[in-house]
Amino acid sequence: MKYYLLAGLISAVVSFLVSLLVWKLGLKYKWYPKVRERDVHRTPTPRLGGIAMFIGVMVSLLCAWFLFPEIAGVDYFRLVFAEPGRVLAVLAGATIIVVLGVADDIWDLDWMTKLAGQIIAAGILAWQGVAIVSLPIGNTLGVGSSYMSLIFTVLAVVLVMNAVNFIDGLDGLVAGVAIIAGGVFFLYTFFINRVVVQTEFFFNLPSLLTAVLVGACFGFLILNWHPAKLFMGDAGALLVGFLMATSAVSITGNIDPAAVRTRTDLLPAFIPILLPFAILIVPILDFGLAVVRRLSAGKSPFSADRKHLHHRLLDMGHSHFHAVLIFYAWTATVAVGCLLFLFFNWWWVVAFVAVGFTVCAIATFAPLGRKRTEIAVQTTSRAGVVDPSLDPLDRAAAERDGRPVTRPTRTRPAGPPPTHHSTPGDPS
């Protein structure tokens, strides 16, 4: 455990120091784009923090590969690097994703170019064996063939990358979600290898990748917390999604099909696939809604708009800080719930998740409920028509209740618009 912590600490320190450097250079040389209409922030902010996270991850992995054996005298990660092709595939894929993200942050690439790069990066993983090789389907764990393994792997990696990128719209959101999700996934890999499956693969690639990713997010979050000084940009968001997906698909190869003899044993085998998607249920939901919304409007599924879930939370009346905490709460409820299946009977876990969902739902929709009294006063005095000029939340609450809404009758006072900061993470 201490060597994983050391790897995470190295990643955090390097990520923080390089983030400071990128931030100062970004301000000096104006490495930031103009504020777009859909952005929540109003102050131009450097958005190349993904470079710092990438360097933190790379330095930590290289230290675990070459430096740790010299310091400790024992190569505790020898099983991780016994197949260097797998590790090099992860490094190559991460490099492609970061270069693609930086280019998009600077030049705003078209969605087809970005999707092609993502498929290439995921394909390199599958080519070197970092792939979904087993699934609890029927009475077997096999996926059928190498072609099916390639397809499943590419789809999973691309989906997770874009889902993470789509929620990258508030300060500290992606980094915090990755820390929560990564922490739970690390605990899962620890228990699945030491307690459930009881294999010798305690030092494994998915655990190491998760540890260095969590460390990089911690180091970056210091500068990304609201109000953010530095954004991770598409480079950082895609890197987070890529490493999360890689950790998930690579652990499927550590499950021995011969060890799965009963239906009860299928749950530990299924969680590596279930957990990352369950943790990212809100981002994946946002991704799906955005695709349907844009295709219905005759637009590209990767075109930009200001209708993501984090935008809606702000429009409902949540503060920036509260909106981020709500995302954290949903993530923690689902992630911890999945992990508890390994230790408790299913009804206790269902009860925990149900209580968590109830609390999260109340916190999410509380602002709309607080507006009912104000709307009632307005509709009484204005013949049943809501005037949204008194409070921006009135429009959202009125539309939710199906009440008619007039155009604002009062103009905003002179001065700059409210200041909100966030990472402009829409992949367009």
Side-chain angles (χ1 to χ4, degrees):
M1 180 68 76
K2 63 182 179 181
Y3 292 100
Y4 284 121
L5 294 177
L6 178 58
L9 179 61
I10 292 174
S11 181
V13 172
V14 173
S15 178
F16 171 69
L17 294 177
V18 180
S19 293
L20 279 176
L21 178 62
V22 172
W23 171 52
K24 292 182 179 179
L25 292 176
L27 292 178
K28 181 178 181 180
Y29 295 104
K30 298 183 179 181
W31 292 344
Y32 44 75
K34 296 180 179 179
V35 177
R36 300 167 296 188
E37 182 179 354
R38 71 177 186 273
D39 292 335
V40 179
H41 69 289
R42 290 295 176 262
T43 303
T45 305
R47 55 187 291 190
L48 296 178
I51 296 176
M53 300 173 66
F54 172 70
I55 294 176
V57 169
M58 293 289 287
V59 170
S60 182
L61 289 176
L62 292 176
C63 285
W65 196 345
F66 299 106
L67 189 59
F68 282 15
E70 301 299 328
I71 296 176
V74 179
D75 189 358
Y76 287 99
F77 289 104
R78 63 185 182 279
L79 292 175
V80 176
F81 302 107
E83 299 179 78
R86 290 164 53 88
V87 181
L88 292 175
V90 174
L91 298 181
T95 302
I96 292 173
I97 289 301
V98 171
V99 171
L100 183 73
V102 170
D104 185 46
D105 290 331
I106 297 175
W107 296 296
D108 199 14
L109 303 178
D110 64 274
W111 69 270
M112 294 187 64
T113 301
K114 291 183 289 186
L115 182 60
Q118 294 168 13
I119 293 175
I120 291 173
I124 291 175
L125 290 178
W127 175 50
Q128 289 297 323
V130 185
I132 298 175
V133 297
S134 59
L135 287 173
I137 301 174
N139 296 322
T140 178
L141 291 176
V143 296
S145 68
S146 58
Y147 294 105
M148 295 301 297
S149 175
L150 172 64
I151 293 172
F152 285 153
T153 300
V154 171
L155 287 177
V157 173
V158 171
L159 174 62
V160 172
M161 278 193 292
N162 283 285
V164 172
N165 196 25
F166 267 52
I167 67 165
D168 186 22
L170 298 177
D171 298 348
L173 180 55
V174 168
V177 167
I179 290 171
I180 296 171
V184 172
F185 191 80
F186 179 84
L187 292 176
Y188 165 77
T189 60
F190 174 84
F191 286 109
I192 198 68
N193 286 299
R194 292 296 296 269
V195 179
V196 180
V197 182
Q198 296 181 350
T199 69
E200 62 178 350
F201 298 107
F202 173 59
F203 291 96
N204 55 75
L205 181 60
S207 297
L208 181 58
L209 290 178
T210 303
V212 299
L213 173 61
V214 170
C217 290
F218 262 118
F220 172 75
L221 187 59
I222 298 174
L223 290 180
N224 188 236
W225 192 251
H226 184 67
K229 297 180 177 65
L230 181 67
F231 298 152
M232 66 172 61
D234 281 8
L238 291 175
L239 176 66
V240 170
F242 177 80
L243 292 179
M244 291 179 67
T246 301
S247 299
V249 301
S250 62
I251 200 174
T252 63
N254 290 350
I255 303 296
D256 182 8
V260 181
R261 302 183 180 87
T262 67
R263 291 185 178 272
T264 303
D265 294 331
L266 284 176
L267 181 59
F270 185 72
I271 287 183
I273 303 302
L274 172 65
L275 185 58
F277 290 97
I279 289 172
L280 295 171
I281 186 64
V282 176
I284 291 175
L285 175 63
D286 189 20
F287 175 78
L289 291 175
V291 170
V292 173
R293 180 174 66 246
R294 293 164 183 174
L295 289 178
S296 299
K299 299 180 180 179
S300 162
F302 294 94
S303 61
D305 59 31
R306 198 189 180 280
K307 296 183 180 180
H308 291 295
L309 294 180
H310 51 271
H311 293 137
R312 296 179 183 272
L313 287 177
L314 296 179
D315 293 340
M316 287 169 61
H318 288 287
S319 67
H320 193 118
F321 179 68
H322 287 165
V324 171
L325 290 184
I326 287 173
F327 269 91
Y328 288 177
W330 283 105
T331 301
T333 299
V334 177
V336 175
C338 287
L339 185 66
L340 293 180
F341 270 110
L342 293 177
F343 309 102
F344 299 97
N345 291 324
W346 65 269
W347 55 82
W348 290 111
V349 181
V350 171
F352 168 82
V353 174
V355 172
F357 278 8
T358 301
V359 173
C360 290
I362 292 174
T364 300
F365 295 105
L368 291 181
R370 290 197 298 266
K371 302 309 297 180
R372 290 179 179 176
T373 302
E374 183 178 340
I375 290 177
V377 173
Q378 291 188 54
T379 54
T380 300
S381 61
R382 295 179 60 85
V385 179
V386 177
D387 179 4
S389 63
L390 299 179
D391 192 316
L393 183 56
D394 289 348
R395 178 179 295 275
E399 290 176 349
R400 181 191 179 209
D401 295 336
R403 298 175 183 266
V405 181
T406 64
R407 301 182 67 177
T409 58
R410 298 194 310 179
T411 58
R412 292 185 54 87
T419 300
H420 294 288
H421 299 269
S422 76
T423 303
D426 211 342
S428 62

